[in-house]
Amino acid sequence: MEEFKVKFKEQADKLGAEIKTLLQEHGNTVIGETTLAQIYQGMRGMTALVSETSLLDAQDGIRFRRRSIPELREQLPKAKGGTEPLPEALFYLMMIGEIPSEEDVENLSAILQRRSHVPTYVFDTMKALPRDTHPMTQFVVGVMALQAESVFAKRYAAGFSKKEYWEATLEDTLNLIARLPHIAAFVYRRKYKGGKAVQPDGMLDWAANFAHMLGYDNEEFKELMRLYMVIHADHEGGNVSAHATHLVGSALSDPYLSYAAGMNGLAGPLHGLANQEVIKWIFEMQKELNTEAPTAEQIAEYVKKTLGEGKVVPGYGHAVLRQTDPRFTAQMEFGKKHMPDDPLVNTVWRIYETVPGILQSLGKVKNPWPNVDAHSGALLVHYGMEEYEYYTVLFAVSRALGVLSSLCWDRALGMPLERPKSVTTAAVKRWLNKEVENLGD
Ligand code: NMX
Ligand code: MLT
């Protein structure tokens, strides 16, 4: 068995034993109260899930195994000559719980490299879709076609022990992560570059090879892809894509089915699709104002118009965060280093100076600060990737690292079927009127 698998199993057994003791001793400890408002309003603030790979703090942002985004950028191994962290290293950290050595990362890259072949029928399935189909739909169809390769599904059909679920899940996870850049690059090249594929380069790391297959061989763009793939990977367990993957996986749907479910959630405009909406919104603003560099006053007017039309300002606000997203800040730092004078990037920064005050003045927006999606598109446009409908696919490839690591943990820890109780409003009224003893009776 690959050393990586052995290490993961050791960690999982250790944590599994700790959880067993913890539940024996504290299983009945009350962790909070739930209000009626919470079950009607998206379960905000309700602690209801366990996800081992990362933890979100409302002020400080995401931490992966207790390491912040700036710490990851500092501590994770880099590509030769590069300064941004390698996403394979983050995957290792989420799976094993330790910062990997350079050798560990090289081994993991080699494992992924060996597994990266995508069967032709997957591309043929995708080709059956009209070329103008949204990139996220094409991408998820590719993932679903690849499901025929699922080791978990095959072993389950043949009949296998619960004790082996983790291993088949990890097999699928490694295969999927290895293959996703090929599927994603195929979507891009097919939709925007006349179907001319770029062959993979086995000498490159995972993110750089993805950039290469997309058709971007600029070293700075490869660095951007490494950073992009790291910062979008995980955001604890309750966001739509992570939660959907976990929920569907809890039915023992294999990793392909579970990940595809999560990515259909990522494709929503309040979640991952916001990255395309941001650039679309800025392009529309530039067109309407007839300028590449709108002033703060012009931006303020445009924001008010957007709000007046009953729309949200894309890239701003968050369900949990209450500060500027450190993922936004990391991208801003990248911009300041590599493209300080880019007009679009400067517009993103001017929007950052303008929007929070306006959202604050509405009195209802809980977080007026930018999230990860407010910045990402402008960096991509700088290197020539202007096809904003594609951006969520990049997010999806990165998010695979987090949600699939979590799925491995779910199966290794023997997490059960997720099935919370729901109620009707009529039942709520009966309970409030004391016609029944318990809510839901
Ligand atoms: N622009 C205008 N209004 C907003 C915004 C915004 N950016 N953010 C929140 N609000 C409104 C929200 O629509 C709600 O209005 P109403 O009561 O009339 O329905 C009110 O403020 C309270 O919402 P919150 O409690 O602050 O936010 P909630 O937790 O419900 O939603 C988001 C969080 C992220 C869905 C919301 O802030 C939003 O729609 N933002 C824009 C879309 C976006 O950037 N999404 C990406 C999130 C990150 N990601 O990648 O997933
Ligand atoms: C994410 O990266 O998943 C988003 O910021 C949304 C969230 O955390 O709810």
Side-chain angles (χ1 to χ4, degrees):
M1 203 190 290
E2 281 154 353
E3 199 191 326
F4 179 71
K5 279 191 188 169
V6 176
K7 274 196 184 164
F8 173 68
K9 179 70 173 132
E10 275 168 18
Q11 297 300 327
D13 285 348
K14 211 161 82 189
L15 186 65
E18 281 173 27
I19 293 173
K20 201 169 166 200
T21 313
L22 193 136
L23 291 182
Q24 271 161 3
E25 291 173 6
H26 304 286
N28 291 325
T29 304
V30 175
I31 58 163
E33 285 179 339
T34 305
T35 64
L36 208 44
Q38 281 176 306
I39 65 168
Y40 277 93
Q41 291 168 354
M43 298 189 274
R44 294 292 186 286
M46 188 193 291
T47 303
L49 293 165
V50 177
S51 182
E52 303 293 349
T53 46
S54 65
L55 185 64
L56 186 60
D57 178 90
Q59 300 300 324
D60 299 340
I62 195 66
R63 283 180 180 270
F64 294 75
R65 304 289 189 176
R66 309 193 73 178
R67 283 157 178 101
S68 65
I69 295 280
E71 285 165 348
L72 290 184
R73 288 180 82 192
E74 207 184 292
Q75 295 172 16
L76 289 179
K78 323 274 184 293
K80 283 194 180 55
T83 58
E84 297 300 343
L86 285 164
E88 297 91 318
L90 178 65
F91 177 66
Y92 186 103
L93 177 67
M94 288 188 283
M95 290 292 287
I96 311 293
E98 295 162 6
I99 297 275
S101 66
E102 284 186 9
E103 198 191 337
D104 291 329
V105 180
E106 270 167 29
N107 289 340
L108 189 50
S109 290
I111 291 174
L112 295 177
Q113 183 57 40
R114 282 200 298 277
R115 293 164 179 260
S116 62
H117 173 73
V118 178
T120 311
Y121 72 82
V122 173
F123 298 125
D124 290 343
T125 307
M126 293 160 82
K127 277 186 203 158
L129 293 169
R131 215 177 268 261
D132 62 356
T133 305
H134 192 280
M136 275 303 277
T137 309
Q138 298 197 38
F139 176 73
V140 174
V141 165
V143 173
M144 287 306 301
L146 197 58
Q147 189 271 343
E149 306 291 311
S150 170
V151 172
F152 187 97
K154 283 191 186 117
R155 289 196 196 157
Y156 195 91
F160 77 144
S161 160
K162 282 181 180 181
K163 293 198 183 96
E164 294 166 43
Y165 288 175
W166 73 271
E167 211 250 330
T169 304
L170 181 49
E171 273 293 310
D172 280 349
T173 290
L174 292 170
N175 289 339
L176 244 176
I177 291 174
R179 293 165 185 179
L180 287 175
H182 295 243
I183 294 179
F186 179 82
V187 173
Y188 184 72
R189 302 292 305 177
R190 174 171 187 250
K191 180 155 182 172
Y192 303 111
K193 304 289 171 188
K196 220 167 157 279
V198 179
Q199 290 313 307
D201 178 347
M203 301 308 284
L204 293 172
D205 53 274
W206 184 73
N209 191 31
F210 182 25
H212 165 74
M213 288 189 289
L214 287 167
Y216 294 82
D217 277 310
N218 175 326
E219 286 309 313
E220 259 178 48
F221 187 84
K222 287 179 183 154
E223 278 285 88
L224 176 62
M225 268 308 101
R226 292 178 188 121
L227 176 66
Y228 192 111
M229 292 294 130
V230 164
I231 63 176
H232 288 80
D234 207 30
H235 221 227
E236 73 172 26
N239 68 74
V240 171
S241 50
H243 189 186
T245 306
H246 166 79
L247 170 66
V248 172
S250 84
L252 295 187
S253 303
D254 63 58
Y256 295 80
L257 298 171
S258 308
Y259 170 71
M263 295 312 104
N264 282 325
L266 192 74
L270 295 188
H271 193 18
L273 204 80
N275 60 9
Q276 78 164 47
E277 295 302 296
V278 168
I279 286 299
K280 191 170 159 216
W281 181 78
I282 298 178
F283 282 170
E284 280 166 6
M285 169 165 65
Q286 288 176 330
K287 199 168 159 207
E288 192 166 315
L289 301 173
N290 199 22
T291 170
E292 219 186 20
T295 63
E297 291 72 30
Q298 286 175 312
I299 292 169
E301 279 312 305
Y302 197 77
V303 168
K304 285 176 193 154
K305 179 172 172 271
T306 301
L307 294 170
E309 288 165 356
K311 297 177 189 163
V312 293
V313 180
Y316 281 76
H318 201 274
V320 184
L321 275 172
R322 294 295 176 258
Q323 260 305 340
T324 296
D325 191 335
R327 301 172 296 177
F328 177 91
T329 311
Q331 296 180 89
M332 193 160 153
E333 284 169 11
F334 188 94
K336 293 214 156 125
K337 182 172 168 190
H338 295 288
M339 58 198 81
D341 300 323
D342 182 287
L344 183 63
V345 171
N346 276 271
T347 298
V348 165
W349 298 342
R350 208 161 306 120
I351 292 170
Y352 179 31
E353 288 160 17
T354 315
V355 166
I358 301 176
L359 291 183
Q360 240 152 5
S361 72
L362 298 179
K364 64 173 185 178
V365 181
K366 298 201 188 61
N367 176 39
W369 303 106
N371 59 58
V372 66
D373 298 318
H375 209 309
S376 51
L379 300 179
L380 296 165
V381 172
H382 176 82
Y383 295 108
M385 188 184 266
E386 293 190 4
E387 303 92 348
Y388 52 73
E389 275 200 348
Y390 184 74
Y391 294 169
T392 311
V393 176
L394 299 176
F395 196 156
V397 174
S398 166
R399 190 47 60 106
L401 301 174
V403 300
L404 291 171
S405 304
S406 282
L407 205 62
C408 289
W409 278 102
D410 290 349
R411 295 291 74 80
L413 296 173
M415 294 272 189
L417 179 81
E418 188 178 307
R419 187 12 179 128
K421 172 89 184 101
S422 74
V423 289
T424 59
T425 301
V428 168
K429 290 201 299 203
R430 284 198 295 277
W431 177 67
L432 289 174
N433 291 336
K434 302 201 185 325
E435 290 166 35
V436 291
E437 199 181 331
N438 300 306
L439 176 59
D441 281 351

